[in-house]
Amino acid sequence: MTPDQVKLVQSSFSKVAPISEQAAVMFYDRLFEIAPQVKSMFPADMTEQRKKLMTMLAAVVNGLGNLESILPAASALAKRHVGYGAKAEHYPVVGAALLWTLEKGLGDGWTPAVADAWTTAYGTLAGFMISEAYGRSQAAE
């Protein structure tokens, strides 16, 4: 990621943070709409899960300027997700739900440059997490 992409992700996320509860609801609603098979991996009461999502996103976004600082936590998270039944092929679906949520949440602020920055950020992190959880060969697919 370029320094400009990091700034775009961070500045756009600061506009989503005030509506974090609504954004988390939108994200999971979209995820379960496009991938209903993953719903069974989540608790019936999603309140705590939505908070965890937004806390994790905030930590990742804030750490993008020093990616090495967030990689140990991302690695641990990826390995925990395996235990929940997550598979490498779920990462693109989660990314699609995240980008859709950001696009809806940011409205006119979702510019091509912001979309590209978020796509790059998610792709970088997802690739790392997949390689940590499942090995390098699946991350390359």
Side-chain angles (χ1 to χ4, degrees):
M1 289 191 74
T2 68
D4 285 343
Q5 287 176 316
V6 170
K7 287 178 189 166
L8 282 172
V9 168
Q10 290 174 335
S11 65
S12 61
F13 187 74
S14 71
K15 295 172 185 151
V16 174
I19 59 159
S20 64
E21 285 183 38
Q22 180 185 355
V25 168
M26 290 170 60
F27 168 79
Y28 283 111
D29 285 353
R30 180 66 174 172
L31 178 62
F32 298 153
E33 178 185 326
I34 62 176
Q37 70 277 15
V38 303
K39 190 167 186 172
S40 64
M41 294 183 212
F42 293 90
D45 181 354
M46 292 290 292
T47 306
E48 197 58 36
Q49 183 64 36
R50 289 191 291 263
K51 288 178 188 172
K52 286 179 183 178
L53 169 73
M54 296 312 291
T55 299
M56 182 271 307
L57 267 175
V60 168
V61 167
N62 290 331
L64 283 178
N66 181 12
L67 201 55
E68 291 74 28
S69 70
I70 60 174
L71 293 182
S75 175
L77 182 64
K79 291 170 184 170
R80 276 197 314 274
H81 279 141
V82 173
Y84 304 143
K87 296 180 174 30
E89 60 264 23
H90 292 140
Y91 281 79
V93 177
V94 168
L98 176 64
L99 296 176
W100 178 90
T101 301
L102 291 163
E103 180 180 4
K104 298 301 177 201
L106 290 168
D108 292 343
W110 186 253
T111 64
V114 170
D116 182 60
W118 273 99
T119 300
T120 300
Y122 184 80
T124 299
L125 198 61
F128 172 77
M129 291 176 71
I130 290 167
S131 70
E132 289 293 292
Y134 310 103
R136 303 231 178 265
S137 64
Q138 288 198 19
E141 292 176 9

